[in-house]
Amino acid sequence: METSPTVHLVVALSCEARPLARLLRLKGDPAHRAFRLFVGDGADLVVTGVGKVAAAAGTAYMAAAIDARPDDVWINVGVGGHRSEALGSVWTAHTIRDAGSGRHWHPPRTATEGFAAAEVVTIEEVEREYPRECVYEMEAAGFWPTATRFTAAELCQVVKVVSDGPGSSVDEVVAERVEGLITAALPTLSDLLDSLRDLASAAPPAPPALASELLERWHFSLTQRRQLERLQQRFWALTSSSEGGEEAGRQGVVDVLLGPPGPDAELRSATEVLDYFAQRVDEVALEREPRTPRRGS
C-alpha cells in the first residue's frame, strides 16, 4: 500500500514551532536530543536554532532521523524583516540569496504560483536598516541547499512572515509576538501545505529500473541505496522536463554513471559513485538556474 508524502517543517525557534505543532497535531519526540523534534501523522517538525549553519544541520539531522523519502515536502517557516511590507504579511521565496557567500537559488513556483512571492536574503547579523525590498532572515540559505538533497526542488519551499521593518524595531520581536504572527498566518500556511501535498502526491516515483542497473555495477549498502535513490529523483526532476521528456531524464542518469563518456572505469566504490553523482546533480542544478539580470543591462 502506498503511503502519502510526509511534510517536514524546519523552524529556528520554539515560538515559531508551537502554532504549527498545534495546527498539525504534532507532539514532541523525547528520543531526539541533538535537535528538538515534533512528530505526527503525515508531518513532523524540527527546531534548529538561529542561523544558516544551524538550519542546515537541523535539516540534515531530521532527514536522517525520520528516513525522508524523495517525494516528501520540505518547508522552512519563519519570520523576517522587510523594508515596506506590512507586519504579518506572508511571503514565499522566489529567490533565496546568501548575503555572506553571494550564492543564490530560485525555488520553482509550481505549487506556490498563487501565493505572494519575494526575494529572501539570508544575513548573519540582525538587519536594522532594511536597504533593499526583500525579506531579511537568517536560515533559508542553510535550509534550501540541504533540503533539496533529499527531495525535488518543486517540493521544497521557504515561507516568511514579516515581523519587523523601519517602523517596527527588530528589538520588539519577542517570542509572544512571533507566536502571534505565525498563528495569524496559519490559514495561508495551511493552504500552501495542501498545494504542496497535492503536487507531491501527483509526482512520479523514482524509476526503480535505473537503480538496478547501477546496483549491478557497484555494491551499495542499504543506506547508500537510499542516497542513490534520492540523487536519482533529484536528477530526474531536473532533467525530465527538458527536451526529450521523461525518457531523456531516465536515460540521463544511466549516461552520467555508465557512459559513454561516463567515468565508470574510474569509480571504484559506491562511495565514489555517490560523491561523483552528487557533484554532477549540483552542476545540472546550477546550469538550470535562471540568470538574474544586472541592473542597467
Side-chain angles (χ1 to χ4, degrees):
M1 183 176 65
E2 293 186 3
T3 57
S4 299
T6 299
V7 173
H8 308 296
L9 294 160
V10 178
V11 304
L13 304 169
S14 294
C15 53
E16 295 168 332
R18 284 191 288 270
L20 295 164
R22 289 194 294 268
L23 173 69
L24 299 171
R25 299 179 181 179
L26 307 179
K27 296 187 179 298
D29 186 346
H32 300 278
R33 299 193 179 188
F35 292 92
R36 192 177 181 191
L37 263 62
F38 294 79
V39 298
D41 185 13
D44 46 46
L45 179 149
V46 62
V47 181
T48 67
V50 174
K52 64 183 181 183
V53 173
T59 300
Y61 178 87
M62 185 160 71
I66 48 79
D67 192 20
R69 292 169 33 187
D71 60 346
D72 283 349
V73 171
W74 288 82
I75 309 176
N76 170 225
V77 179
V79 296
H82 198 287
R83 180 177 181 174
S84 61
E85 295 297 343
L87 298 183
S89 56
V90 183
W91 300 88
T92 59
H94 64 62
T95 301
I96 300 165
R97 192 174 302 277
D98 185 345
S101 70
R103 294 184 67 192
H104 62 279
W105 304 267
H106 300 279
R109 304 281 297 154
T110 310
T112 60
E113 187 174 358
F115 297 85
E119 180 181 12
V120 171
V121 176
T122 299
I123 53 179
E124 298 186 12
E125 296 183 2
V126 172
E127 178 58 60
R128 298 180 183 276
E129 300 298 325
Y130 313 97
R132 298 179 53 205
E133 290 290 337
C134 61
V135 179
Y136 291 97
E137 56 78 71
M138 304 180 80
E139 287 78 40
F143 162 80
W144 173 264
T146 306
T148 50
R149 289 186 176 275
F150 303 108
T151 193
E154 289 81 357
L155 302 178
C156 184
Q157 297 294 330
V158 168
V159 187
K160 299 295 170 177
V161 182
V162 175
S163 59
D164 55 279
S168 182
S169 170
V170 67
D171 296 325
E172 301 172 11
V173 185
V174 295
E176 292 81 3
R177 178 168 171 176
V178 171
E179 186 167 350
L181 289 169
I182 298 295
T183 299
L186 288 180
T188 301
L189 293 171
S190 182
D191 288 344
L192 177 61
L193 287 175
D194 289 342
S195 179
L196 286 163
R197 281 192 179 108
D198 289 345
L199 179 63
S201 297
L210 295 181
S212 65
E213 292 183 53
L214 303 181
L215 295 175
E216 290 174 1
R217 185 69 63 93
W218 295 280
H219 173 72
F220 291 82
S221 68
L222 180 58
T223 298
Q224 289 172 327
R225 290 188 187 198
R226 289 171 178 163
Q227 292 173 335
L228 178 62
E229 289 171 358
R230 289 166 183 154
L231 285 169
Q232 282 191 143
Q233 179 73 15
R234 187 175 177 220
F235 186 92
W236 190 29
L238 287 167
T239 58
S240 63
S241 60
S242 60
E243 185 177 352
E246 293 183 4
E247 185 55 38
R250 290 188 180 97
Q251 186 58 40
V253 178
V254 177
D255 290 344
V256 164
L257 292 173
L258 300 181
D264 56 295
E266 302 174 12
L267 299 176
R268 296 168 294 179
S269 68
T271 299
E272 291 183 0
V273 171
L274 290 169
D275 288 344
Y276 175 79
F277 197 12
Q279 178 183 337
R280 285 293 297 121
V281 172
D282 286 343
E283 290 172 357
V284 172
L286 286 173
E287 290 168 2
R288 290 175 61 82
E289 274 191 356
R291 299 297 180 186
T292 303
R294 296 180 179 179
R295 288 188 178 181
S297 59

